[in-house]
Every structure is written in structure tokens, then in C-alpha cells.
Amino acid sequence: MNRRRPAALIAAAVTGAVLLVTGCSDEGKPVSFDSGPSSPAGASAQGGQKNGAAPAKDDPAGKNGAAAQTLLPTGPKAEFTTQSSLGDGTKIGVTTLKGAKSGFTGKVWVWAPKQYFDEKYRNSGFPVLIALPGGNGYPKNYWMGTDLKLQSSISEWSKTGKSLPFIVVMPVLNPDAKHYYDGSDIPGQPKMGTWMTEDVPDLVRANFRTFKSRDGWAFMGSSSGGFVGLKSVLKRPDLFKAAIASGPDIVPDSPLWAGHDAEKQANNPEKLAQDLIDKKGPEVALAFQVGTKEGTVVPKVKQFIATYGKGPVKTRLQVIPDGTHNAHTYVKGMGEGTMEWISKQMLAPVPSS
């Protein structure tokens, strides 16, 4: 597939950048995810609980089940600054991550839902959604803008039962704007597969209450980002349970694979899905989204589902009427059933009794 960024995605990214500059007076200020959504960095942890603290006295044995599944922040803490603010007081923060395992350094944006700061969830982990853009995804990930309404939609959907209150993590997709790296460790290139599936989750575990189980981890991506999310779940089902792949590429096609066919096939979703079927698991949940106007994408997605959507590979297809290859279409589809289906496959935060 030609992976030039569609005009609609360019417009979305540009609009988001403008909104970030003009719509957030707190931009650049330190922000802490230990405290309430409107609190500055340095405020005490909500409920008085420190990173790594034991469950509260009202639930010493973790009887509500959350403590047994929850992984408290492991540290070290990253330094986040405010990128933008939502109407409910929650903030999208950004930090620069030096990947200890990949060796790659890049930006990561993170948003935590309002429930994360609620006292009744102070002992519970939260599910994580790693959101990936289409196009180059460098130097910014367009999902960190407020114009696409990803975070505000999840906030609203979580109130009505359409979605879990996900922590949304938005890393850069590629190390530069020159090439696509297929979210993979292409020989001789930056290790973007390790960055995406190990370094970025390690950052989240260091700073947030998450779940130990893979049932608390998922990807969401559009176009080339949809490919990376799809491939990452199929390649590392030990770490991730689910993916939302919107208008995705189905096979790796970076020109950087030249001369490395074996490694390329080891990152091919078709081969990875068949391997998972042959091994009879573990089970993964793949939610595909396509707009009816995505002429070249629709048949490829349907063929993948028809061929590999069996056994441990659970699939769902959301067809979006009049939808085109752009992020606004995909957010619409998520609200029409995709997020509800994915949420049912994953762990939910559990309130204290």
C-alpha cells in the first residue's frame, strides 16, 4: 500500500497542532499523574498513597480482586509536562523516553481518565491503550491533539458503558519522517519493535497503576499505525490481548526490509496469525474498522478475517457508512461498537468496597 499520509490525516494533525498551541494555557507546565487531574506536579499522591504502597487498610487483603491484578507504579518516575487539557480537567502529558532496551529516544504522550484519580479506584490498575497514528507519526503522534476527540470520547463512553476508562499512550511511530519502519526491529535500523512493545509499556508501568496480565494491554492504530498495532499483538500475544486496527496495512512493506526477507516474514501479520492458530493460542481479540469508501483497504481486511479469523484469533469488523481513510471516521466507528467489544475482552478497574 502507498503509505503517503492522506490529506484528511494531514489536516487532522495540523488542526491538532494549532489547537494545542492556542487552547491550553498550561502547556509546558509540569504535570503529575500521581495527583488529581487539575493538580500540578509535586502534589501528594491521591488518597495519600505513594508509589509502590500496600493496599489501603479498608481492603488489606485486596478482597475486591483489584490488588491481586494490579501492578503499582514501579518507578523511576518520568518528568511529564502538559501538552493540552480536556474540559473535565484531565491533561495530556508528554515526556521524552530514552528506551533502555531499544536504544531509541522519542516522545511519548499519555492521558489518564478522570476515574484514575477517583479515591475508590486508588488500589486498582487501569487498562492501557497504545494509540498509533497513520502517516509518518513523527515528530508527533496526532492522537495527542484534542481535535480528534479520542480522549474526550473515551471519557464519555466510559460513563455509559461503551468503553473502559483506558489510560491512552501515544508514542511516536517512526524515528524520522523519511521511512516507515513497520514498528519492527529491521536489521541495521532503530529497533522500533522493541521500542513499541517493551520500552513504551515499561514507561507506563513505571508511572501508572496498570494490570500485570496481558488482559490489561491493547493497541489502537489507523493506517500504518493500524498495521503496527495488529502486528504487535500477533507477535507478542504474551504481552498484549487486543488491537483496534483501522484501515490497516496487512503486510509489512517498508523498503528497509530489502535483503532481510526472513526477518520481514517474522513481522508479517498473516504468518503470525497462522502461527497462533497452529499453536492454538493464546487468544487475541482483533477489532478491524474500515470505511465504505476505502476501496483498496476493504477487500484486504475482509480477506484477512476470512482466512485467519478462527481458533484463538477472534475478530470483529466495524464497517463505517460513508467512511474514508481518516482518523475522524475511525473515532466514529469506535463509538458505534468497536470500543464496547474490545472493552469486553479486557480487565476493568475495580473499585474498593
Side-chain angles (χ1 to χ4, degrees), residues 28-52:
K29 293 182 179 179
V31 60
S32 171
F33 290 100
D34 293 329
S35 48
S38 299
S39 301
S44 61
Q46 50 158 351
Q49 186 175 349
K50 305 295 184 181
N51 283 356

Side-chain angles (χ1 to χ4, degrees), residues 2-344:
N2 182 349
R3 290 201 258 184
R4 293 180 183 273
R5 180 185 289 192
L9 294 183
I10 294 176
V14 171
T15 302
V18 172
L19 289 175
L20 291 174
V21 171
T22 61
C24 180
S25 60
D26 292 334
E27 184 178 356
K29 293 182 179 179
V31 60
S32 171
F33 290 100
D34 293 329
S35 48
S38 299
S39 301
S44 61
Q46 50 158 351
Q49 186 175 349
K50 305 295 184 181
N51 283 356
K57 292 182 179 179
D58 61 350
D59 185 28
K63 293 180 180 178
N64 59 29
Q69 295 279 7
T70 294
L71 177 66
L72 296 175
T74 62
K77 289 185 180 180
E79 294 183 359
F80 287 94
T81 57
T82 301
Q83 181 70 75
S84 58
S85 300
L86 275 66
D88 63 0
T90 58
K91 299 181 186 298
I92 298 172
V94 61
T95 191
T96 298
L97 171 63
K98 296 180 179 179
K101 296 175 181 176
S102 68
F104 172 71
T105 297
K107 287 188 176 181
V108 181
W109 293 263
V110 184
W111 172 79
K114 199 161 188 178
Q115 292 94 325
Y116 186 85
F117 307 99
D118 192 318
E119 175 71 11
K120 68 183 178 183
Y121 291 110
R122 68 187 181 277
N123 296 321
S124 181
F126 276 69
V128 177
L129 187 68
I130 301 175
L132 305 178
N136 294 320
Y138 178 91
K140 293 183 177 180
N141 178 326
Y142 58 62
W143 292 115
M144 57 78 170
T146 57
D147 61 309
L148 296 176
K149 302 185 184 301
L150 174 62
Q151 296 83 4
S152 59
S153 294
I154 290 175
S155 179
E156 290 302 313
W157 294 333
S158 68
K159 296 175 184 177
T160 60
K162 287 186 176 181
S163 173
L164 293 177
F166 287 96
I167 297 170
V168 181
V169 184
M170 300 151 278
V172 293
L173 181 62
N174 291 296
D176 56 52
K178 298 178 181 178
H179 301 288
Y180 293 95
Y181 293 74
D182 285 337
S184 304
D185 290 359
I186 300 175
Q189 304 297 333
K191 296 182 177 181
M192 301 311 293
T194 299
W195 155 265
M196 200 66 70
T197 62
E198 297 189 46
D199 286 332
V200 171
D202 283 348
L203 169 72
V204 181
R205 282 187 284 265
N207 291 276
F208 296 87
R209 300 189 309 279
T210 57
F211 288 118
K212 301 172 186 176
S213 167
R214 73 190 189 100
D215 292 352
W217 294 82
F219 277 91
M220 182 278 285
S222 52
S223 193
S224 54
F227 166 84
V228 175
L230 173 66
K231 187 269 297 188
S232 296
V233 171
L234 289 169
K235 189 174 179 66
R236 297 303 307 268
D238 56 320
L239 301 179
F240 307 100
K241 174 66 177 294
I244 299 172
S246 301
D249 300 319
I250 297 297
V251 297
D253 61 0
S254 171
L256 299 173
W257 288 115
H260 305 290
D261 189 63
E263 292 87 351
K264 179 179 179 179
Q265 291 307 310
N267 288 275
N268 185 339
E270 294 179 337
K271 183 180 185 303
L272 293 167
Q274 187 60 57
D275 289 346
L276 205 57
I277 294 168
D278 294 342
K279 295 176 183 176
K280 303 185 185 304
E283 183 177 297
V284 295
L286 307 177
F288 291 91
Q289 297 197 133
V290 293
T292 54
K293 294 183 178 180
E294 294 189 83
T296 61
V297 177
V298 174
K300 294 178 182 179
V301 168
K302 288 185 175 180
Q303 182 61 48
F304 182 92
I305 292 173
T307 305
Y308 303 106
K310 56 188 176 183
V313 182
K314 307 300 182 183
T315 61
R316 181 184 187 276
L317 176 60
Q318 182 78 35
V319 178
I320 306 159
D322 296 319
T324 57
H325 194 71
N326 71 78
H328 291 286
T329 286
Y330 302 140
V331 173
K332 180 175 181 289
M334 289 165 67
E336 293 176 346
T338 300
M339 285 299 288
E340 187 170 5
W341 186 79
I342 281 291
S343 293
K344 290 178 180 178

